[in-house]
Amino acid sequence: MNGHSDCHQYDIALPSIATQLELTDFDADRQLLDLSGTSLVIFTSQGCAACRYARQQLPHLGLAVDRLVWIDAQENSGLVQRYEVFRLPALFVVRNGEFFGALHTGLAPADLRQALTEALARAPEELP
């Protein structure tokens, strides 16, 4: 090194949610029941522009969750039916194996944080 710092903007990383999982009809129930902490479960589809945006942006929004759990809606119709997914992206909250319901919000960071806080204040239910 030449003794002085060459700091460039691209050296600065946004905070990100390091743990991301891809789950399917075959492993989602077991994983969501066993995982400790808070999971944001997101149903997406490759053909959905808002889903691509969510996949790109959600890891960097600094949400108060331990992990993002991605489920491909086209490949996992059993989960889509059980979670009653009607539009994409669809977001749900699971904490310590308990279901805290859907987040009915847009993808703006402040809206997501508020919806997450409200969801976790509700009484939990069993997973669908």
Side-chain angles (χ1 to χ4, degrees):
M1 299 278 305
N2 58 11
H4 68 286
S5 174
D6 290 330
C7 184
H8 301 284
Q9 186 168 355
Y10 56 81
D11 293 333
I12 300 168
L14 292 171
S16 67
I17 298 169
T19 305
Q20 297 187 56
L21 302 173
E22 301 274 346
L23 298 182
T24 68
D25 280 338
F26 302 107
D27 61 0
D29 292 334
R30 180 82 266 140
Q31 290 277 351
L32 290 172
L33 284 170
D34 289 346
L35 289 168
S36 63
T38 303
S39 300
L40 182 60
V41 179
I42 309 111
F43 285 81
T44 63
S45 171
Q46 287 183 350
C48 162
C51 298
R52 288 191 299 274
Y53 177 82
R55 194 174 274 276
Q56 180 184 39
Q57 297 299 315
L58 286 178
H60 305 289
L61 295 184
L63 300 174
V65 299
D66 295 294
R67 75 198 53 80
L68 300 176
V69 176
W70 301 98
I71 297 173
D72 185 325
Q74 290 177 305
E75 301 292 324
N76 299 286
S77 60
L79 289 168
V80 168
Q81 289 178 343
R82 289 198 344 255
Y83 280 76
E84 299 178 359
V85 173
F86 296 108
R87 54 184 286 205
L88 297 173
L91 291 77
F92 300 88
V93 181
V94 177
R95 183 197 281 163
N96 298 327
E98 294 182 309
F99 183 66
F100 286 83
L103 298 186
H104 301 288
T105 183
L107 297 176
D111 296 341
L112 275 168
R113 287 186 193 99
Q114 180 65 32
L116 192 57
T117 299
E118 290 171 3
L120 290 169
R122 297 191 284 251
E125 305 170 14
E126 290 185 22
L127 286 174

